[in-house]
PDB file of all heavy atoms in Angstrom:
ATOM      1  N   GLY A  96       0.812  -1.187   0.050  1.00 92.00           N
ATOM      2  CA  GLY A  96      -0.031  -0.012   0.039  1.00 92.00           C
ATOM      3  C   GLY A  96       0.801   1.270  -0.055  1.00 92.00           C
ATOM      4  O   GLY A  96       0.500   2.277  -0.615  1.00 92.00           O
ATOM      5  N   VAL A  97       1.972   1.184   0.674  1.00 94.00           N
ATOM      6  CA  VAL A  97       2.902   2.331   0.675  1.00 94.00           C
ATOM      7  C   VAL A  97       3.507   2.570  -0.670  1.00 94.00           C
ATOM      8  O   VAL A  97       3.457   3.575  -1.249  1.00 94.00           O
ATOM      9  CB  VAL A  97       4.077   2.208   1.720  1.00 94.00           C
ATOM     10  CG1 VAL A  97       4.971   3.349   1.654  1.00 94.00           C
ATOM     11  CG2 VAL A  97       3.406   2.059   3.077  1.00 94.00           C
ATOM     12  N   VAL A  98       4.080   1.498  -1.178  1.00 94.00           N
ATOM     13  CA  VAL A  98       4.657   1.516  -2.606  1.00 94.00           C
ATOM     14  C   VAL A  98       3.656   1.905  -3.658  1.00 94.00           C
ATOM     15  O   VAL A  98       4.062   2.619  -4.573  1.00 94.00           O
ATOM     16  CB  VAL A  98       5.368   0.181  -2.871  1.00 94.00           C
ATOM     17  CG1 VAL A  98       5.992   0.131  -4.280  1.00 94.00           C
ATOM     18  CG2 VAL A  98       6.491  -0.129  -1.787  1.00 94.00           C
ATOM     19  N   GLY A  99       2.427   1.463  -3.438  1.00 95.00           N
ATOM     20  CA  GLY A  99       1.427   1.753  -4.425  1.00 95.00           C
ATOM     21  C   GLY A  99       0.623   3.058  -4.207  1.00 95.00           C
ATOM     22  O   GLY A  99      -0.293   3.344  -4.936  1.00 95.00           O
ATOM     23  N   ASP A 100       1.099   3.831  -3.223  1.00 96.00           N
ATOM     24  CA  ASP A 100       0.583   5.222  -2.934  1.00 96.00           C
ATOM     25  C   ASP A 100      -0.952   5.053  -2.629  1.00 96.00           C
ATOM     26  O   ASP A 100      -1.803   5.940  -3.077  1.00 96.00           O
ATOM     27  CB  ASP A 100       0.768   6.185  -4.097  1.00 96.00           C
ATOM     28  CG  ASP A 100       2.210   6.356  -4.374  1.00 96.00           C
ATOM     29  OD1 ASP A 100       2.985   6.758  -3.447  1.00 96.00           O
ATOM     30  OD2 ASP A 100       2.686   6.287  -5.575  1.00 96.00           O
ATOM     31  N   VAL A 101      -1.413   4.107  -1.822  1.00 96.00           N
ATOM     32  CA  VAL A 101      -2.740   3.985  -1.578  1.00 96.00           C
ATOM     33  C   VAL A 101      -3.139   5.118  -0.546  1.00 96.00           C
ATOM     34  O   VAL A 101      -2.483   5.260   0.504  1.00 96.00           O
ATOM     35  CB  VAL A 101      -3.000   2.610  -0.829  1.00 96.00           C
ATOM     36  CG1 VAL A 101      -4.459   2.445  -0.233  1.00 96.00           C
ATOM     37  CG2 VAL A 101      -2.753   1.491  -1.743  1.00 96.00           C
ATOM     38  N   PRO A 102      -4.198   5.893  -0.862  1.00 97.00           N
ATOM     39  CA  PRO A 102      -4.421   7.176  -0.109  1.00 97.00           C
ATOM     40  C   PRO A 102      -4.647   6.966   1.388  1.00 97.00           C
ATOM     41  O   PRO A 102      -3.989   7.736   2.217  1.00 97.00           O
ATOM     42  CB  PRO A 102      -5.653   7.652  -0.728  1.00 97.00           C
ATOM     43  CG  PRO A 102      -5.641   7.114  -2.219  1.00 97.00           C
ATOM     44  CD  PRO A 102      -5.082   5.799  -2.021  1.00 97.00           C
ATOM     45  N   ASP A 103      -5.353   6.034   1.849  1.00 96.00           N
ATOM     46  CA  ASP A 103      -5.568   5.802   3.322  1.00 96.00           C
ATOM     47  C   ASP A 103      -4.300   5.443   4.010  1.00 96.00           C
ATOM     48  O   ASP A 103      -4.141   5.792   5.157  1.00 96.00           O
ATOM     49  CB  ASP A 103      -6.665   4.742   3.538  1.00 96.00           C
ATOM     50  CG  ASP A 103      -8.085   5.264   3.306  1.00 96.00           C
ATOM     51  OD1 ASP A 103      -8.099   6.533   2.941  1.00 96.00           O
ATOM     52  OD2 ASP A 103      -9.026   4.588   3.550  1.00 96.00           O
ATOM     53  N   VAL A 104      -3.459   4.732   3.354  1.00 96.00           N
ATOM     54  CA  VAL A 104      -2.220   4.268   3.929  1.00 96.00           C
ATOM     55  C   VAL A 104      -1.307   5.440   4.058  1.00 96.00           C
ATOM     56  O   VAL A 104      -0.640   5.613   5.150  1.00 96.00           O
ATOM     57  CB  VAL A 104      -1.553   3.173   3.064  1.00 96.00           C
ATOM     58  CG1 VAL A 104      -0.211   2.872   3.561  1.00 96.00           C
ATOM     59  CG2 VAL A 104      -2.392   1.881   3.094  1.00 96.00           C
ATOM     60  N   ILE A 105      -1.209   6.221   3.043  1.00 98.00           N
ATOM     61  CA  ILE A 105      -0.314   7.450   3.029  1.00 98.00           C
ATOM     62  C   ILE A 105      -0.730   8.419   4.011  1.00 98.00           C
ATOM     63  O   ILE A 105      -0.023   9.216   4.792  1.00 98.00           O
ATOM     64  CB  ILE A 105      -0.220   8.024   1.632  1.00 98.00           C
ATOM     65  CG1 ILE A 105       0.380   6.898   0.596  1.00 98.00           C
ATOM     66  CG2 ILE A 105       0.658   9.241   1.552  1.00 98.00           C
ATOM     67  CD1 ILE A 105       1.560   6.239   0.974  1.00 98.00           C
ATOM     68  N   LYS A 106      -2.098   8.568   4.178  1.00 98.00           N
ATOM     69  CA  LYS A 106      -2.652   9.444   5.184  1.00 98.00           C
ATOM     70  C   LYS A 106      -2.158   9.227   6.550  1.00 98.00           C
ATOM     71  O   LYS A 106      -1.828  10.172   7.438  1.00 98.00           O
ATOM     72  CB  LYS A 106      -4.211   9.512   5.132  1.00 98.00           C
ATOM     73  CG  LYS A 106      -4.858  10.320   4.099  1.00 98.00           C
ATOM     74  CD  LYS A 106      -6.356  10.276   4.238  1.00 98.00           C
ATOM     75  CE  LYS A 106      -7.048  11.006   3.188  1.00 98.00           C
ATOM     76  NZ  LYS A 106      -8.523  10.957   3.280  1.00 98.00           N
ATOM     77  N   LYS A 107      -2.135   7.872   6.970  1.00 98.00           N
ATOM     78  CA  LYS A 107      -1.647   7.590   8.264  1.00 98.00           C
ATOM     79  C   LYS A 107      -0.211   8.054   8.475  1.00 98.00           C
ATOM     80  O   LYS A 107       0.099   8.471   9.600  1.00 98.00           O
ATOM     81  CB  LYS A 107      -1.849   6.047   8.473  1.00 98.00           C
ATOM     82  CG  LYS A 107      -3.359   5.631   8.488  1.00 98.00           C
ATOM     83  CD  LYS A 107      -3.396   4.131   8.507  1.00 98.00           C
ATOM     84  CE  LYS A 107      -4.825   3.560   8.404  1.00 98.00           C
ATOM     85  NZ  LYS A 107      -4.952   2.141   8.464  1.00 98.00           N
ATOM     86  N   ILE A 108       0.611   7.813   7.462  1.00 98.00           N
ATOM     87  CA  ILE A 108       1.967   8.203   7.622  1.00 98.00           C
ATOM     88  C   ILE A 108       2.141   9.686   7.726  1.00 98.00           C
ATOM     89  O   ILE A 108       2.854  10.184   8.508  1.00 98.00           O
ATOM     90  CB  ILE A 108       2.773   7.584   6.411  1.00 98.00           C
ATOM     91  CG1 ILE A 108       2.835   6.096   6.426  1.00 98.00           C
ATOM     92  CG2 ILE A 108       4.219   8.242   6.406  1.00 98.00           C
ATOM     93  CD1 ILE A 108       3.465   5.519   5.136  1.00 98.00           C
ATOM     94  N   GLU A 109       1.304  10.371   6.949  1.00 98.00           N
ATOM     95  CA  GLU A 109       1.365  11.895   6.911  1.00 98.00           C
ATOM     96  C   GLU A 109       0.927  12.355   8.263  1.00 98.00           C
ATOM     97  O   GLU A 109       1.505  13.371   8.820  1.00 98.00           O
ATOM     98  CB  GLU A 109       0.606  12.412   5.783  1.00 98.00           C
ATOM     99  CG  GLU A 109       1.165  12.193   4.423  1.00 98.00           C
ATOM    100  CD  GLU A 109       0.292  12.624   3.291  1.00 98.00           C
ATOM    101  OE1 GLU A 109      -0.993  12.862   3.473  1.00 98.00           O
ATOM    102  OE2 GLU A 109       0.709  12.703   2.144  1.00 98.00           O
ATOM    103  N   TYR A 110      -0.100  11.790   8.873  1.00 98.00           N
ATOM    104  CA  TYR A 110      -0.492  12.181  10.190  1.00 98.00           C
ATOM    105  C   TYR A 110       0.653  12.056  11.229  1.00 98.00           C
ATOM    106  O   TYR A 110       0.881  12.892  12.137  1.00 98.00           O
ATOM    107  CB  TYR A 110      -1.705  11.425  10.639  1.00 98.00           C
ATOM    108  CG  TYR A 110      -2.967  11.778   9.920  1.00 98.00           C
ATOM    109  CD1 TYR A 110      -3.999  10.850   9.753  1.00 98.00           C
ATOM    110  CD2 TYR A 110      -3.246  13.117   9.385  1.00 98.00           C
ATOM    111  CE1 TYR A 110      -5.141  11.163   8.969  1.00 98.00           C
ATOM    112  CE2 TYR A 110      -4.422  13.410   8.743  1.00 98.00           C
ATOM    113  CZ  TYR A 110      -5.352  12.467   8.573  1.00 98.00           C
ATOM    114  OH  TYR A 110      -6.478  12.718   7.803  1.00 98.00           O
ATOM    115  N   ALA A 111       1.395  10.934  11.155  1.00 98.00           N
ATOM    116  CA  ALA A 111       2.456  10.758  12.136  1.00 98.00           C
ATOM    117  C   ALA A 111       3.607  11.883  11.816  1.00 98.00           C
ATOM    118  O   ALA A 111       4.150  12.347  12.760  1.00 98.00           O
ATOM    119  CB  ALA A 111       3.061   9.322  11.837  1.00 98.00           C
ATOM    120  N   GLN A 112       3.889  12.119  10.560  1.00 97.00           N
ATOM    121  CA  GLN A 112       4.841  13.089  10.252  1.00 97.00           C
ATOM    122  C   GLN A 112       4.477  14.564  10.732  1.00 97.00           C
ATOM    123  O   GLN A 112       5.323  15.301  11.222  1.00 97.00           O
ATOM    124  CB  GLN A 112       5.212  13.122   8.779  1.00 97.00           C
ATOM    125  CG  GLN A 112       5.850  11.751   8.319  1.00 97.00           C
ATOM    126  CD  GLN A 112       5.963  11.603   6.838  1.00 97.00           C
ATOM    127  OE1 GLN A 112       5.158  12.270   6.100  1.00 97.00           O
ATOM    128  NE2 GLN A 112       6.874  10.777   6.365  1.00 97.00           N
ATOM    129  N   LEU A 113       3.217  14.804  10.654  1.00 97.00           N
ATOM    130  CA  LEU A 113       2.730  16.121  11.150  1.00 97.00           C
ATOM    131  C   LEU A 113       2.922  16.294  12.628  1.00 97.00           C
ATOM    132  O   LEU A 113       3.148  17.419  13.097  1.00 97.00           O
ATOM    133  CB  LEU A 113       1.207  16.301  10.847  1.00 97.00           C
ATOM    134  CG  LEU A 113       0.822  16.629   9.363  1.00 97.00           C
ATOM    135  CD1 LEU A 113      -0.648  16.499   9.104  1.00 97.00           C
ATOM    136  CD2 LEU A 113       1.334  17.956   8.924  1.00 97.00           C
ATOM    137  N   LYS A 114       2.919  15.194  13.334  1.00 98.00           N
ATOM    138  CA  LYS A 114       3.046  15.190  14.762  1.00 98.00           C
ATOM    139  C   LYS A 114       4.601  14.917  15.120  1.00 98.00           C
ATOM    140  O   LYS A 114       4.930  14.866  16.329  1.00 98.00           O
ATOM    141  CB  LYS A 114       2.187  14.202  15.443  1.00 98.00           C
ATOM    142  CG  LYS A 114       0.738  14.431  15.280  1.00 98.00           C
ATOM    143  CD  LYS A 114       0.198  15.695  15.807  1.00 98.00           C
ATOM    144  CE  LYS A 114       0.264  15.911  17.177  1.00 98.00           C
ATOM    145  NZ  LYS A 114      -0.252  17.088  17.804  1.00 98.00           N
ATOM    146  N   ASN A 115       5.394  14.884  14.172  1.00 98.00           N
ATOM    147  CA  ASN A 115       6.869  14.615  14.342  1.00 98.00           C
ATOM    148  C   ASN A 115       7.082  13.362  15.103  1.00 98.00           C
ATOM    149  O   ASN A 115       7.940  13.311  16.064  1.00 98.00           O
ATOM    150  CB  ASN A 115       7.478  15.806  15.016  1.00 98.00           C
ATOM    151  CG  ASN A 115       9.002  15.815  14.922  1.00 98.00           C
ATOM    152  OD1 ASN A 115       9.571  15.234  13.914  1.00 98.00           O
ATOM    153  ND2 ASN A 115       9.750  16.280  15.871  1.00 98.00           N
ATOM    154  N   LYS A 116       6.350  12.285  14.702  1.00 98.00           N
ATOM    155  CA  LYS A 116       6.445  10.966  15.433  1.00 98.00           C
ATOM    156  C   LYS A 116       7.033   9.999  14.488  1.00 98.00           C
ATOM    157  O   LYS A 116       6.608  10.023  13.271  1.00 98.00           O
ATOM    158  CB  LYS A 116       5.075  10.558  15.971  1.00 98.00           C
ATOM    159  CG  LYS A 116       4.682  11.463  17.177  1.00 98.00           C
ATOM    160  CD  LYS A 116       3.408  11.046  17.850  1.00 98.00           C
ATOM    161  CE  LYS A 116       3.014  11.992  18.940  1.00 98.00           C
ATOM    162  NZ  LYS A 116       1.813  11.598  19.662  1.00 98.00           N
ATOM    163  N   PRO A 117       7.929   9.118  14.906  1.00 98.00           N
ATOM    164  CA  PRO A 117       8.549   8.141  14.032  1.00 98.00           C
ATOM    165  C   PRO A 117       7.509   7.210  13.375  1.00 98.00           C
ATOM    166  O   PRO A 117       6.394   7.011  13.966  1.00 98.00           O
ATOM    167  CB  PRO A 117       9.454   7.355  14.834  1.00 98.00           C
ATOM    168  CG  PRO A 117       9.727   8.249  16.077  1.00 98.00           C
ATOM    169  CD  PRO A 117       8.469   8.977  16.247  1.00 98.00           C
ATOM    170  N   VAL A 118       7.814   6.542  12.248  1.00 98.00           N
ATOM    171  CA  VAL A 118       7.050   5.637  11.526  1.00 98.00           C
ATOM    172  C   VAL A 118       7.813   4.254  11.509  1.00 98.00           C
ATOM    173  O   VAL A 118       8.884   4.262  11.007  1.00 98.00           O
ATOM    174  CB  VAL A 118       6.643   5.995  10.183  1.00 98.00           C
ATOM    175  CG1 VAL A 118       5.773   4.943   9.541  1.00 98.00           C
ATOM    176  CG2 VAL A 118       5.895   7.324  10.190  1.00 98.00           C
ATOM    177  N   ASP A 119       7.226   3.202  12.120  1.00 98.00           N
ATOM    178  CA  ASP A 119       7.883   1.921  12.241  1.00 98.00           C
ATOM    179  C   ASP A 119       7.618   1.178  10.927  1.00 98.00           C
ATOM    180  O   ASP A 119       6.410   1.343  10.362  1.00 98.00           O
ATOM    181  CB  ASP A 119       7.475   1.158  13.340  1.00 98.00           C
ATOM    182  CG  ASP A 119       8.325   1.325  14.597  1.00 98.00           C
ATOM    183  OD1 ASP A 119       9.268   2.088  14.553  1.00 98.00           O
ATOM    184  OD2 ASP A 119       8.172   0.648  15.633  1.00 98.00           O
ATOM    185  N   GLY A 120       8.656   0.410  10.430  1.00 97.00           N
ATOM    186  CA  GLY A 120       8.417  -0.410   9.322  1.00 97.00           C
ATOM    187  C   GLY A 120       8.136  -1.835   9.529  1.00 97.00           C
ATOM    188  O   GLY A 120       8.388  -2.380  10.679  1.00 97.00           O
ATOM    189  N   HIS A 121       7.778  -2.506   8.472  1.00 94.00           N
ATOM    190  CA  HIS A 121       7.620  -4.027   8.547  1.00 94.00           C
ATOM    191  C   HIS A 121       7.603  -4.398   7.006  1.00 94.00           C
ATOM    192  O   HIS A 121       6.608  -4.375   6.393  1.00 94.00           O
ATOM    193  CB  HIS A 121       6.322  -4.333   9.120  1.00 94.00           C
ATOM    194  CG  HIS A 121       5.911  -5.853   9.041  1.00 94.00           C
ATOM    195  ND1 HIS A 121       5.865  -6.725  10.062  1.00 94.00           N
ATOM    196  CD2 HIS A 121       5.573  -6.654   8.037  1.00 94.00           C
ATOM    197  CE1 HIS A 121       5.501  -7.868   9.740  1.00 94.00           C
ATOM    198  NE2 HIS A 121       5.380  -7.872   8.362  1.00 94.00           N
ATOM    199  N   ALA A 122       8.795  -4.844   6.534  1.00 92.00           N
ATOM    200  CA  ALA A 122       8.960  -5.125   5.111  1.00 92.00           C
ATOM    201  C   ALA A 122       9.762  -6.232   4.828  1.00 92.00           C
ATOM    202  O   ALA A 122      10.955  -6.157   4.384  1.00 92.00           O
ATOM    203  CB  ALA A 122       9.435  -3.847   4.447  1.00 92.00           C
ATOM    204  N   PRO A 123       9.362  -7.438   5.240  1.00 88.00           N
ATOM    205  CA  PRO A 123      10.195  -8.705   5.029  1.00 88.00           C
ATOM    206  C   PRO A 123      10.571  -8.845   3.531  1.00 88.00           C
ATOM    207  O   PRO A 123       9.609  -9.025   2.721  1.00 88.00           O
ATOM    208  CB  PRO A 123       9.387  -9.832   5.542  1.00 88.00           C
ATOM    209  CG  PRO A 123       7.863  -9.345   5.533  1.00 88.00           C
ATOM    210  CD  PRO A 123       8.080  -7.933   5.793  1.00 88.00           C
ATOM    211  N   GLY A 124      11.821  -8.938   3.275  1.00 89.00           N
ATOM    212  CA  GLY A 124      12.294  -9.294   1.910  1.00 89.00           C
ATOM    213  C   GLY A 124      12.180  -8.079   0.945  1.00 89.00           C
ATOM    214  O   GLY A 124      12.620  -8.249  -0.262  1.00 89.00           O
ATOM    215  N   LEU A 125      11.795  -6.930   1.351  1.00 92.00           N
ATOM    216  CA  LEU A 125      11.588  -5.898   0.420  1.00 92.00           C
ATOM    217  C   LEU A 125      12.987  -5.280   0.023  1.00 92.00           C
ATOM    218  O   LEU A 125      13.795  -4.974   0.859  1.00 92.00           O
ATOM    219  CB  LEU A 125      10.717  -4.736   0.962  1.00 92.00           C
ATOM    220  CG  LEU A 125      10.201  -3.622   0.008  1.00 92.00           C
ATOM    221  CD1 LEU A 125       9.327  -4.274  -1.101  1.00 92.00           C
ATOM    222  CD2 LEU A 125       9.511  -2.518   0.734  1.00 92.00           C
ATOM    223  N   ARG A 126      13.259  -5.141  -1.254  1.00 95.00           N
ATOM    224  CA  ARG A 126      14.674  -4.766  -1.766  1.00 95.00           C
ATOM    225  C   ARG A 126      14.426  -3.817  -3.016  1.00 95.00           C
ATOM    226  O   ARG A 126      13.341  -3.646  -3.485  1.00 95.00           O
ATOM    227  CB  ARG A 126      15.401  -5.974  -2.164  1.00 95.00           C
ATOM    228  CG  ARG A 126      15.637  -7.110  -1.201  1.00 95.00           C
ATOM    229  CD  ARG A 126      16.517  -6.758  -0.059  1.00 95.00           C
ATOM    230  NE  ARG A 126      17.893  -6.584  -0.426  1.00 95.00           N
ATOM    231  CZ  ARG A 126      18.777  -7.602  -0.518  1.00 95.00           C
ATOM    232  NH1 ARG A 126      18.434  -8.881  -0.318  1.00 95.00           N
ATOM    233  NH2 ARG A 126      20.031  -7.298  -1.019  1.00 95.00           N
ATOM    234  N   GLY A 127      15.510  -3.234  -3.371  1.00 97.00           N
ATOM    235  CA  GLY A 127      15.577  -2.484  -4.598  1.00 97.00           C
ATOM    236  C   GLY A 127      14.797  -1.327  -4.677  1.00 97.00           C
ATOM    237  O   GLY A 127      14.594  -0.539  -3.648  1.00 97.00           O
ATOM    238  N   GLU A 128      14.104  -1.007  -5.874  1.00 97.00           N
ATOM    239  CA  GLU A 128      13.387   0.234  -5.998  1.00 97.00           C
ATOM    240  C   GLU A 128      12.175   0.277  -5.216  1.00 97.00           C
ATOM    241  O   GLU A 128      11.746   1.394  -4.697  1.00 97.00           O
ATOM    242  CB  GLU A 128      13.082   0.364  -7.515  1.00 97.00           C
ATOM    243  CG  GLU A 128      14.177   0.601  -8.478  1.00 97.00           C
ATOM    244  CD  GLU A 128      15.017   1.796  -8.086  1.00 97.00           C
ATOM    245  OE1 GLU A 128      14.440   2.841  -7.784  1.00 97.00           O
ATOM    246  OE2 GLU A 128      16.304   1.707  -8.043  1.00 97.00           O
ATOM    247  N   ALA A 129      11.538  -0.864  -4.950  1.00 96.00           N
ATOM    248  CA  ALA A 129      10.361  -0.928  -4.127  1.00 96.00           C
ATOM    249  C   ALA A 129      10.714  -0.449  -2.613  1.00 96.00           C
ATOM    250  O   ALA A 129       9.946   0.326  -2.024  1.00 96.00           O
ATOM    251  CB  ALA A 129       9.743  -2.253  -4.088  1.00 96.00           C
ATOM    252  N   LEU A 130      11.941  -0.912  -2.182  1.00 97.00           N
ATOM    253  CA  LEU A 130      12.363  -0.491  -0.857  1.00 97.00           C
ATOM    254  C   LEU A 130      12.611   0.948  -0.765  1.00 97.00           C
ATOM    255  O   LEU A 130      12.233   1.637   0.078  1.00 97.00           O
ATOM    256  CB  LEU A 130      13.556  -1.328  -0.467  1.00 97.00           C
ATOM    257  CG  LEU A 130      14.223  -0.923   0.866  1.00 97.00           C
ATOM    258  CD1 LEU A 130      13.369  -1.093   1.992  1.00 97.00           C
ATOM    259  CD2 LEU A 130      15.642  -1.744   1.030  1.00 97.00           C
ATOM    260  N   LYS A 131      13.326   1.463  -1.767  1.00 98.00           N
ATOM    261  CA  LYS A 131      13.578   2.949  -1.865  1.00 98.00           C
ATOM    262  C   LYS A 131      12.276   3.693  -1.864  1.00 98.00           C
ATOM    263  O   LYS A 131      12.233   4.778  -1.083  1.00 98.00           O
ATOM    264  CB  LYS A 131      14.346   3.338  -3.103  1.00 98.00           C
ATOM    265  CG  LYS A 131      15.835   2.728  -3.110  1.00 98.00           C
ATOM    266  CD  LYS A 131      16.496   3.135  -4.385  1.00 98.00           C
ATOM    267  CE  LYS A 131      17.931   2.537  -4.380  1.00 98.00           C
ATOM    268  NZ  LYS A 131      18.581   2.878  -5.832  1.00 98.00           N
ATOM    269  N   LYS A 132      11.235   3.366  -2.456  1.00 98.00           N
ATOM    270  CA  LYS A 132      10.045   4.033  -2.515  1.00 98.00           C
ATOM    271  C   LYS A 132       9.327   3.918  -1.084  1.00 98.00           C
ATOM    272  O   LYS A 132       8.948   4.971  -0.498  1.00 98.00           O
ATOM    273  CB  LYS A 132       9.004   3.402  -3.515  1.00 98.00           C
ATOM    274  CG  LYS A 132       7.643   3.927  -3.574  1.00 98.00           C
ATOM    275  CD  LYS A 132       7.638   5.326  -4.198  1.00 98.00           C
ATOM    276  CE  LYS A 132       6.197   5.832  -4.337  1.00 98.00           C
ATOM    277  NZ  LYS A 132       5.420   5.146  -5.327  1.00 98.00           N
ATOM    278  N   TYR A 133       9.505   2.807  -0.501  1.00 97.00           N
ATOM    279  CA  TYR A 133       8.899   2.610   0.851  1.00 97.00           C
ATOM    280  C   TYR A 133       9.566   3.466   1.914  1.00 97.00           C
ATOM    281  O   TYR A 133       8.918   4.210   2.653  1.00 97.00           O
ATOM    282  CB  TYR A 133       8.990   1.171   1.210  1.00 97.00           C
ATOM    283  CG  TYR A 133       8.445   0.627   2.573  1.00 97.00           C
ATOM    284  CD1 TYR A 133       7.135   0.575   2.751  1.00 97.00           C
ATOM    285  CD2 TYR A 133       9.443   0.187   3.567  1.00 97.00           C
ATOM    286  CE1 TYR A 133       6.661   0.067   4.019  1.00 97.00           C
ATOM    287  CE2 TYR A 133       8.965  -0.218   4.784  1.00 97.00           C
ATOM    288  CZ  TYR A 133       7.577  -0.336   4.998  1.00 97.00           C
ATOM    289  OH  TYR A 133       7.091  -0.846   6.227  1.00 97.00           O
ATOM    290  N   VAL A 134      10.908   3.430   1.806  1.00 98.00           N
ATOM    291  CA  VAL A 134      11.617   4.300   2.823  1.00 98.00           C
ATOM    292  C   VAL A 134      11.523   5.795   2.597  1.00 98.00           C
ATOM    293  O   VAL A 134      11.548   6.650   3.553  1.00 98.00           O
ATOM    294  CB  VAL A 134      13.139   3.857   2.749  1.00 98.00           C
ATOM    295  CG1 VAL A 134      13.932   4.859   3.565  1.00 98.00           C
ATOM    296  CG2 VAL A 134      13.343   2.424   3.189  1.00 98.00           C
ATOM    297  N   SER A 135      11.251   6.175   1.270  1.00 98.00           N
ATOM    298  CA  SER A 135      11.109   7.610   0.978  1.00 98.00           C
ATOM    299  C   SER A 135       9.936   8.306   1.762  1.00 98.00           C
ATOM    300  O   SER A 135       9.812   9.415   1.822  1.00 98.00           O
ATOM    301  CB  SER A 135      10.903   7.815  -0.564  1.00 98.00           C
ATOM    302  OG  SER A 135       9.612   7.383  -0.964  1.00 98.00           O
ATOM    303  N   TYR A 136       8.900   7.454   2.206  1.00 97.00           N
ATOM    304  CA  TYR A 136       7.808   7.950   2.931  1.00 97.00           C
ATOM    305  C   TYR A 136       8.189   8.160   4.389  1.00 97.00           C
ATOM    306  O   TYR A 136       7.266   8.546   5.211  1.00 97.00           O
ATOM    307  CB  TYR A 136       6.629   7.060   2.807  1.00 97.00           C
ATOM    308  CG  TYR A 136       5.839   7.383   1.598  1.00 97.00           C
ATOM    309  CD1 TYR A 136       5.876   6.558   0.491  1.00 97.00           C
ATOM    310  CD2 TYR A 136       4.945   8.558   1.500  1.00 97.00           C
ATOM    311  CE1 TYR A 136       5.154   6.827  -0.686  1.00 97.00           C
ATOM    312  CE2 TYR A 136       4.256   8.849   0.429  1.00 97.00           C
ATOM    313  CZ  TYR A 136       4.252   7.977  -0.745  1.00 97.00           C
ATOM    314  OH  TYR A 136       3.490   8.284  -1.851  1.00 97.00           O
ATOM    315  N   GLY A 137       9.372   8.049   4.741  1.00 97.00           N
ATOM    316  CA  GLY A 137       9.790   8.292   6.202  1.00 97.00           C
ATOM    317  C   GLY A 137       9.725   7.063   7.072  1.00 97.00           C
ATOM    318  O   GLY A 137       9.780   7.136   8.330  1.00 97.00           O
ATOM    319  N   ILE A 138       9.623   5.819   6.510  1.00 98.00           N
ATOM    320  CA  ILE A 138       9.758   4.588   7.229  1.00 98.00           C
ATOM    321  C   ILE A 138      11.118   4.581   7.923  1.00 98.00           C
ATOM    322  O   ILE A 138      12.058   4.627   7.211  1.00 98.00           O
ATOM    323  CB  ILE A 138       9.493   3.378   6.413  1.00 98.00           C
ATOM    324  CG1 ILE A 138       8.195   3.521   5.653  1.00 98.00           C
ATOM    325  CG2 ILE A 138       9.571   2.152   7.353  1.00 98.00           C
ATOM    326  CD1 ILE A 138       6.966   3.614   6.432  1.00 98.00           C
ATOM    327  N   SER A 139      11.259   4.321   9.213  1.00 98.00           N
ATOM    328  CA  SER A 139      12.482   4.571   9.953  1.00 98.00           C
ATOM    329  C   SER A 139      13.039   3.322  10.531  1.00 98.00           C
ATOM    330  O   SER A 139      14.301   3.360  11.018  1.00 98.00           O
ATOM    331  CB  SER A 139      12.315   5.683  11.014  1.00 98.00           C
ATOM    332  OG  SER A 139      11.329   5.336  11.933  1.00 98.00           O
ATOM    333  N   THR A 140      12.338   2.222  10.688  1.00 98.00           N
ATOM    334  CA  THR A 140      12.779   1.052  11.206  1.00 98.00           C
ATOM    335  C   THR A 140      12.374  -0.198  10.484  1.00 98.00           C
ATOM    336  O   THR A 140      11.373  -0.137   9.667  1.00 98.00           O
ATOM    337  CB  THR A 140      12.313   0.863  12.755  1.00 98.00           C
ATOM    338  OG1 THR A 140      10.876   0.615  12.725  1.00 98.00           O
ATOM    339  CG2 THR A 140      12.678   2.084  13.627  1.00 98.00           C
TER     340      THR A 140
END
């Protein structure tokens, strides 16, 4: 959902960023360009 820019998913991340709160990740096996896109949204762990 993050990599695919699903609106409801991105909204949750943006709400965390507005409050300056970290965003935890969960991306088993994610590599390459998809990983770069995922991390670009501020995923920090």
Side-chain angles (χ1 to χ4, degrees):
V97 177
V98 175
D100 300 309
V101 174
D103 279 1
V104 173
I105 302 306
K106 277 184 183 179
K107 294 175 184 178
I108 295 173
E109 289 175 345
Y110 288 150
Q112 292 170 336
L113 284 172
K114 300 301 293 185
N115 196 30
K116 294 183 177 182
V118 180
D119 269 2
H121 171 115
L125 193 64
R126 307 285 296 271
E128 293 303 314
L130 174 62
K131 290 178 182 178
K132 177 74 175 292
Y133 182 70
V134 172
S135 73
Y136 273 106
I138 308 295
S139 62
T140 68

